[in-house]
Structures are given as C-alpha cells and as structure tokens.
Amino acid sequence: MALLQIAEPGQSAAPHEHKLAIGIDLGTTNSLVATVQSGEAKTLTDFDGSAMLPSVVRYEADKITVGQAAAAASAEDPTNTLISVKRFLGKSQAEIEQSYGQLPYEFVENNGSLAINTLVGAINPVQASAEILKSLKDRATASFAGEDIKGAVITVPAYFDDAQRQSTKDAAELAGLNVLRLLNEPTAAAVAYGLDSGQEGVIAVYDLGGGTFDISILRLNQGVFEVLATGGDSSLGGDDFDSALVAHFKEQTQINDLNNSELRLFINKAKACKEALSSYETVNVGLELRDTAHTVTVTRAQFAEMVMPLVKKTLRACRRAVKDADVSHEEILQVVMVGGSTRMPVIREQVEVFFDKKPLTSIDPDRVVAIGAAIQADILVGNKPDSDMLLLDVLPLSLGLETMGGLVEKIIPRNTTIPVARAQEFTTFKDGQTAMSLHVLQGERELVDDCRSLAKFSLKGIPAMAAGAAHIRVTFKVDADGLLSVSAMEKSTGVQAEIQVKPSFGLSDDQVAQMLKDSMSNAKEDMQARMLKEQQVEALRVLEALEASLSTDSQLLNDNELAALRSEMQKLSDLRETATSPDEIKTAIEAVDAASSEFASRRMDMSIKQALTGQSVDEV
Amino acid sequence: MAVTLTDAAANRVQTFLANRGKGIGLRLGIKTTGCSGLAYVLEFVDELDEGDEVYEHNGVKVIIDAKSMVYLDGTELDYTKEGLNEGFKFTNPNQKDECGCGESFTV
C-alpha cells in the first residue's frame, strides 16, 4: 500500500497523477530541497538525516561525488573538487579573478564560456551546479517513493542578473528538472513566513550565511514582491566569526604558530563554541595539543565584543540598502532572518536595535529559503485552490530597442510584472531598405550610450519598399524567470528573426541602482537630448526625401526657385549638425517644408498628368 | 461501523491541522478511479458536505461520507516511514486486491 499525504479539500490527486513539486535553495555553501506534504512545508533529509547538502562536487576518473564526501576531499584533491561554483555562474574568468583572487582551479575559456579543467575534462559551473541539483532531485525522488517530480522552484540571489539566472535554469534542465520558476531568495524567505498574504509594505531580509552576507529590501504590493534595494558583502559570513574566536584561542593559549591540523582543530572548536554560545551564557573550550590541555572560557558578552566589528559591518550595509531603497525605518514592517549565522544572539539583538523591530526567527534560518520555494512550487504545480494568489516578480529595469539617432524606445517599462509579452511596430528608414539591425537595451535612460546593451541581431530579407512602408513587428517576451527573448517579423512576407538574450556579463546590484539613479538625476537632460535627436532624425529624413525627388524632377523648378530651396536645405543641413535646441531644427524643417511646397504640388500635378495621359475618360 | 487512527496518525493529523491554521478535521473517502477501480481520498475538511458523518477518534474528527463508509468500515489509518518516504497508510479489511503501485485497489 502506498503512503498517502493529506490534500487540500477537493484537490486529491488520482493515482499516479500526484502533482509533486519541490523547492530548491541552491546555495553557495550548502543546498537544500523542500516539499509540501499534508499541507506542511518541510526540508527533505538524506539517509543520515541531514537536510543540508554541501554545495561541493568532486570529479574523479570513474565517479562524481556531491556533498559531504566531496567536501571532505577538498583538502587532498583541491583541483578536482569544486567548491562554491555558484559564484562562477554567468561570470567571466577576469571577473572571477578580480572578485576572488587566487583560486586552486585551472580556468579555461570554452566556446566563450568559462570552464574549470578537471581530471575528466573541462567542467563548466553550469554542469557542476547540475550535479548538485541532481543529487537533491534524487533525494526528493526517494522521498516520494520513486514518483516523478512535476516541477521545481529554484531560488537565486536577488542581485543575480539575466546571465546568472539563465545559467541556473540551464543547470536545472541538465539535471532533468522542470523549472516552474526561479524565485529570489529573500522573496522565498518572506513567503515562508506567509508575508505574501500579509499586510502590504516594506520587508527587510537579513541573510547571513556561512560565507556571504546579503541584505534585501522588498516591497509587497498587490501580491507582487518588488526588490527595492540589495546590498551586502560577498566575503563576510559565519566563517569570519569563527576566525575571531580562533584569534582569541591563540591569544589565550599563547600558541601562534599553528600547523594545518592544529588550525583545523581550532576552527572546529571555534565553530562548536560559537554554536554553543547561542544556547549558553558561558562555554568552556578544551584544547588539547602539544601534550598540554588548555581550557579557554568564553562568555556570550566576550564573544559579542569580539565580533562586534563584523556585526557593525553588516549593519552598515543595511543602512546603505535602506537608503538606496529610499524608505524610512518606520516603513519597514517586518525583518526576516535567513542563514545559520543569524542564530547568534548578538546578531539578533543588534538587528533588532537597528530596525527597531523584533526580527522573525521562528523558522529554521538554514531552511527558510527552501521552505518558501517549496510553498511556491506547491502553488505553481496546482495543489492549491485557484483562490491562492500567485506570487509575481517584476522587471528591475526597462527593456527597449535602439531606433534611428541612437535613441531608446522602451518596449517594456520597469516594474512590469512578469511573465509579460509586448509588441510594437517599427518601419524602415530608407527607400529600398532590405535589412534592419535590432539592438536590445536595458535601462532607464533615453540615449543608447547611457543604457546597457543586451543583444544585437538583424532581420534580413525585407522586400524593397519605400521608406516607412514596411511593417516590422517586434515582440519582447520575458518569461517567469525574467529571461528575455526578442523576435522581429516583417508582416507582408513573414520573414522572422529571433534572439534569446543571454548576456555574458552581468550587472551588479550597485550598477542597477546606479542606472536607476542616473535616469532620475539626468531626466531633464535626457529628454532634451532625445528631442534633439528626434529632430535631427526628422531633418535627415526630410532632406533625403527631397534630395531623392530633386534628382529626378528638378526640372519642375526654375533656377531661382531651385536655388531658394537649395539654400533652405543647406541651412537645415548645417543646423542639423550644430543646433543645440530641438526647436531650431524644427523651425528650419518648417522653412524647408514651406520652400518645397510649390515643388511638391507641381510633382503631384505631373504624376497625375502622367497617370492620366493617353487614357480615355471612361478608363479613369 | 468504525474507522480507527493509530496514535502516530492522530498526532500527525493534529500537527498538520494546527500547522494549516484552519480546518475542522480529516476526510477519509474513496473514489472510483485508478487502475484497480478505487482510490483513497485523504483531505483536510473546511466545511461539511451533505451526507457526511463525523466520527471522533483519538482526538481527531474524522469525516466520512456515507457511501465511502461502506468500503472503509474497519479501516485503520497509520502514519509510517519507509526509507526517506513517509505518509499515511490505510489498512482496510474490505480491500481484496491492489494494483502493483498500491495506489488503487478493489473490494
């Protein structure tokens, strides 16, 4: 007899049609998988009962190991044991070296993408991530008695850009998982606490893990979590707190020349001491080495003093994020604690003082992200009645297309909820134009130079037509994971071109914030520049059209008329280059229009005459 | 006529109900589906339907509709763990046979 779970009223699945869904927290240091069973979200454990899978993959000639066993081998086999590959997703070698300095890996560029040389060949970060996901998937399958998993929600840091998100998605596909959605980690934590169905407002998520610190400021508005600001420190985590204790141990034991195994002992004792201090006021640490037994006593207050500089560092990042988000402390309704290091009482106290609010800590901070992802997966796969709202994400920056004159036409504005598809029609600029180059941009500014270029592609095979006669429909689609595809189609022939945007270089959260700020501080200049460019483009169009008709029909004008028109055209042509205000060009365009109106009407008469000549009245 | 819950099952149901924050009890039922004809229904109950009977056992309100009761009489519901998989298990004396996967059965 199979084992059953309790379903929501009326949602019982037919045999073999269980809608099993999992949430995965693909972490830098540790990864977890969770699911909702009988209405309760819980993390799934391995056979040893541990929920956390170290995000470590070891490649050997005949096998691949993931997790604890791989982590244990990292010292003896550093080049084939890949640790924290999440940091490398969607990054170039140069970026990695700049951020992390010397690493034990041999990086190679493989078809423009980064890979690490191992015993079994070049392994890219996506493949290594896929191994971690596969291991979690196997654990889930075993927990569901071998039944298929319908889908997974995978969490990513809020600051992950398109390239990093796409890499995560690729890894999931490689692991054979159907990705229902990528979810921002802070959003997942907020969901775990049920904040998505709570009061609308601002939520802060304080995430202090083993090696990284992230602070995110979210705003919940009509069921949508918008990321207002993110910040943090990619090299600050629980390990640094251990180091502070190790320094203290050295001082107390007067042993400063530790060898590797002694250092390992100190670090392990420090970790245990730190964890014990979350439950006890005083901890005695026994350190036996070099035939001497040392006992070091650490009180909670001493520890707090030791690590205060680290805690203050996180709070400074919090202050910056709150400022970037442009919200006041009073507006923050809830503070969510994520990451094992937030168990430390000193952290909880200081965060409470800083935000003047008791942080939410009732869910295990190591598991809260996975649990939120599982809840979201359960809803997405259809195990809940429709009345439960779907959580949506929004675009952080506008997406647009370059148009003539280096201007950006925004197709999807920022803060649009995703998934979304928007289309707009464009046309050709020149007579007989048979191809069109499309340049996809991201950003809030009006000029191409000030926005970020995402991709370029061209639509070829447009039939030769007069300028402005072709109808080219450009469609921007952003899927639920924030990934963009752009397609262009010429409507009369149906010729198409399409591109998936997988930008190779990411934007950091700071850059996104800077781009937003720039767009606001430069709003007036940008608008002015845009209008000037628009008039320059219009002037060019008028001049080219006139030039084309003059080349065939200039005999319709006498010398004086022609000279007058030529002079107005020259004036416009000069002004186009030199004018600083759009109005100057506009006036000159109007002057050319006026000077050419006689020419235009004579051309009209002539073409009517030509059309009618030699035809009887009846035929017309 | 009776359906019983083991202590393990009763504890679990109470925890799940408390966790969910709403619901008056647990529905046991059967529906005609699956490869062997019938399948069990196990759901939370927010409101009673017509024809529902409420039984109280081991501190849990069990709701069963009259039609299902015919096939469920004497069933014991347990909560058990098999490897990494855990969940509710029906032991039903009316059950004659089940399909290989154990998800549907005949009476």
Side-chain angles (χ1 to χ4, degrees):
Chain A
M1 187 67 224
L3 301 182
L4 301 176
Q5 308 296 332
I6 311 176
E8 288 294 308
Q11 305 282 317
S12 276
H16 313 296
E17 286 181 3
H18 297 284
K19 291 174 276 186
L20 301 173
I22 53 174
I24 292 179
D25 173 3
L26 183 60
T28 309
T29 332
N30 289 298
S31 299
L32 295 98
V33 57
T35 190
V36 174
Q37 286 188 332
S38 297
E40 183 190 49
K42 58 169 193 176
T43 47
L44 302 173
T45 58
D46 61 12
F47 280 100
D48 297 329
S50 106
M52 291 214 258
L53 178 78
S55 301
V56 182
V57 188
R58 182 186 184 198
Y59 289 88
E60 288 171 271
D62 53 345
K63 65 171 194 259
I64 299 169
T65 41
V66 180
Q68 204 58 58
S74 64
E76 58 177 275
D77 189 15
T79 51
N80 297 309
T81 307
L82 311 186
I83 300 175
S84 306
V85 285
K86 180 176 171 181
R87 297 175 298 171
F88 309 151
L89 282 175
K91 297 274 183 182
S92 72
Q93 187 176 347
E95 282 176 311
I96 291 170
E97 276 168 3
Q98 195 195 343
S99 307
Y100 305 108
Q102 198 61 40
L103 289 162
Y105 310 121
E106 188 187 327
F107 290 105
V108 284
E109 294 277 345
N110 197 351
N111 298 331
S113 78
L114 174 92
I116 297 162
N117 249 343
T118 69
L119 209 60
V120 294
I123 299 292
N124 62 43
V126 171
Q127 289 168 303
S129 301
E131 291 301 333
I132 299 168
L133 291 171
K134 223 181 272 173
S135 174
L136 294 171
K137 181 192 169 202
D138 291 346
R139 183 192 292 186
T141 311
S143 304
F144 295 149
E147 268 210 61
D148 280 350
I149 295 160
K150 286 279 176 294
V153 166
I154 300 175
T155 61
V156 290
Y159 56 78
F160 255 30
D161 62 27
D162 280 358
Q164 291 167 303
R165 282 168 200 265
Q166 182 62 48
S167 299
T168 307
K169 229 182 157 192
D170 291 346
E173 259 160 43
L174 209 54
L177 282 169
N178 168 32
V179 181
L180 298 165
R181 176 167 296 185
L182 300 180
L183 188 64
N184 286 330
E185 284 161 10
T187 307
V191 168
Y193 278 103
L195 300 181
D196 51 325
S197 52
Q199 197 188 345
E200 297 198 336
V202 180
I203 295 159
V205 182
Y206 180 102
D207 181 351
L208 186 62
T212 55
F213 170 65
D214 293 304
I215 172 77
S216 313
I217 311 291
L218 312 175
R219 186 195 293 281
L220 175 65
N221 185 15
Q222 297 179 336
V224 177
F225 277 105
E226 180 195 350
V227 180
L228 295 179
T230 62
D233 190 330
S234 55
S235 52
L236 173 66
D239 299 346
D240 299 295
F241 290 73
D242 299 340
S243 303
L245 269 176
V246 168
H248 179 68
F249 291 169
K250 282 190 194 167
E251 197 184 302
Q252 294 293 312
T253 57
Q254 302 284 319
I255 303 172
N256 286 310
D257 54 338
L258 295 171
N259 65 30
N260 272 343
S261 72
E262 287 167 347
L263 179 63
R264 182 49 39 207
L265 171 81
F266 271 43
I267 291 173
N268 289 343
K269 289 281 184 182
K271 213 177 257 304
C273 172
K274 176 185 75 177
E275 285 166 15
L277 279 169
S278 294
S279 316
Y280 304 101
E281 282 292 336
T282 308
V283 173
N284 292 315
V285 184
L287 295 161
E288 285 175 40
L289 73 165
R290 300 179 190 176
D291 302 324
T292 320
H294 302 269
T295 305
V296 180
T297 305
V298 186
T299 66
R300 202 180 268 184
Q302 278 177 325
F303 178 62
E305 198 187 311
M306 269 177 244
V307 300
M308 198 48 84
L310 300 171
V311 181
K312 292 284 182 214
K313 209 167 161 188
T314 69
L315 296 180
R316 275 199 294 280
C318 291
R319 186 168 297 122
R320 263 198 306 276
V322 171
K323 194 161 160 263
D324 285 350
D326 203 16
V327 294
S328 67
H329 277 239
E330 296 77 54
E331 278 181 82
I332 297 171
L333 296 176
Q334 301 279 9
V335 182
V336 178
M337 296 295 243
V338 182
S341 303
T342 61
R343 288 200 188 88
M344 283 183 264
V346 56
I347 301 270
R348 293 187 178 184
E349 286 157 21
Q350 291 298 318
V351 169
E352 181 173 347
V353 170
F354 179 81
F355 287 103
D356 197 18
K357 220 153 263 108
K358 202 156 193 63
L360 295 172
T361 54
S362 60
I363 302 177
D364 182 340
D366 280 324
R367 307 180 183 205
V368 62
V369 167
I371 283 176
I375 294 172
Q376 181 71 4
D378 193 50
I379 296 172
L380 286 172
V381 88
N383 283 331
K384 289 267 189 171
D386 293 340
S387 57
D388 284 321
M389 193 156 39
L390 279 191
L391 181 78
L392 300 166
D393 277 321
V394 296
L395 279 184
L397 292 167
S398 302
L399 295 167
L401 208 58
E402 174 172 355
T403 58
M404 275 305 290
L407 297 175
V408 180
E409 180 77 22
K410 294 199 183 85
I411 311 286
I412 310 180
R414 73 181 282 261
N415 280 342
T416 303
T417 54
I418 50 176
V420 64
R422 295 270 168 87
Q424 197 159 321
E425 275 192 16
F426 291 88
T427 188
T428 46
F429 185 79
K430 289 201 181 214
D431 288 339
Q433 182 179 341
T434 58
M436 185 180 234
S437 161
L438 295 112
H439 185 189
V440 183
L441 295 136
Q442 182 179 38
E444 304 313 308
R445 305 284 295 272
E446 300 295 333
L447 303 185
V448 168
D449 294 344
D450 299 325
C451 284
R452 177 181 182 231
S453 169
L454 288 183
K456 275 182 188 170
F457 68 110
S458 48
L459 176 68
K460 295 196 179 86
I462 303 171
M465 285 186 249
H471 292 280
I472 292 143
R473 192 175 175 80
V474 178
T475 310
F476 275 55
K477 263 188 243 161
V478 181
D479 70 10
D481 306 313
L483 299 169
L484 170 69
S485 63
V486 179
S487 63
M489 187 187 72
E490 199 285 310
K491 285 171 89 179
S492 68
T493 54
V495 290
Q496 276 210 58
E498 196 179 332
I499 197 163
Q500 307 285 334
V501 178
K502 294 183 190 176
S504 51
F505 295 109
L507 282 181
S508 72
D509 40 337
D510 290 345
Q511 284 170 298
V512 171
Q514 191 57 46
M515 283 171 83
L516 284 178
K517 258 185 239 153
D518 287 349
S519 77
M520 286 163 208
S521 50
N522 296 308
K524 210 175 154 198
E525 293 84 348
D526 276 7
M527 224 39 226
Q528 196 68 21
R530 184 188 177 98
M531 290 191 312
L532 183 64
K533 290 258 186 185
E534 277 176 351
Q535 289 303 328
Q536 286 170 350
V537 171
E538 177 62 13
L540 187 64
R541 194 190 62 76
V542 167
L543 289 171
E544 289 204 354
L546 260 178
E547 207 59 69
S549 27
L550 280 174
S551 70
T552 54
D553 301 325
S554 59
Q555 77 283 357
L556 292 173
L557 297 174
N558 64 36
D559 288 351
N560 283 341
E561 288 166 334
L562 190 60
L565 179 56
R566 281 277 179 212
S567 122
E568 287 298 339
M569 285 170 70
Q570 190 56 49
K571 258 192 234 162
L572 176 59
S573 176
D574 293 343
L575 260 179
R576 200 185 146 263
E577 308 276 340
T578 57
T580 50
S581 107
D583 291 343
E584 286 180 62
I585 304 182
K586 205 171 168 193
T587 317
I589 292 174
E590 280 162 7
V592 171
D593 273 349
S596 65
S597 65
E598 183 56 30
F599 176 55
S601 64
R602 282 186 210 166
R603 281 191 80 216
M604 187 88 78
D605 287 349
M606 182 182 74
S607 57
I608 292 173
K609 249 183 239 157
Q610 276 171 353
L612 297 181
T613 305
Q615 302 198 19
S616 74
V617 177
D618 289 346
E619 276 173 286
V620 181
Chain B
M1 299 240 280
V3 166
T4 53
L5 271 66
T6 64
D7 291 347
N11 283 338
R12 277 297 171 164
V13 173
Q14 279 165 345
T15 320
F16 288 142
L17 275 170
N19 229 315
R20 190 168 170 265
K22 61 174 182 180
I24 52 177
L26 177 71
R27 176 182 301 283
L28 300 192
I30 51 155
K31 57 181 177 181
T32 49
T33 175
C35 35
S36 290
L38 294 173
Y40 291 111
V41 168
L42 194 62
E43 289 177 0
F44 294 112
V45 179
D46 288 329
E47 50 193 42
L48 294 178
D49 294 332
E50 220 169 294
D52 277 346
E53 299 277 347
V54 183
Y55 305 84
E56 179 127 8
H57 187 261
N58 228 340
V60 176
K61 281 202 173 70
V62 179
I63 291 105
I64 304 175
D65 66 282
K67 204 174 135 199
S68 295
M69 192 62 203
V70 178
Y71 301 103
L72 286 174
D73 194 18
T75 295
E76 185 193 65
L77 186 68
D78 191 16
Y79 191 86
T80 171
K81 198 165 182 173
E82 293 175 359
L84 289 181
N85 184 20
E86 53 186 301
F88 292 92
K89 185 171 187 156
F90 283 77
T91 309
N92 183 353
N94 303 302
Q95 183 176 327
K96 298 240 164 41
D97 211 353
E98 64 181 29
C99 79
C101 60
E103 284 200 28
S104 64
F105 64 99
T106 52
V107 290

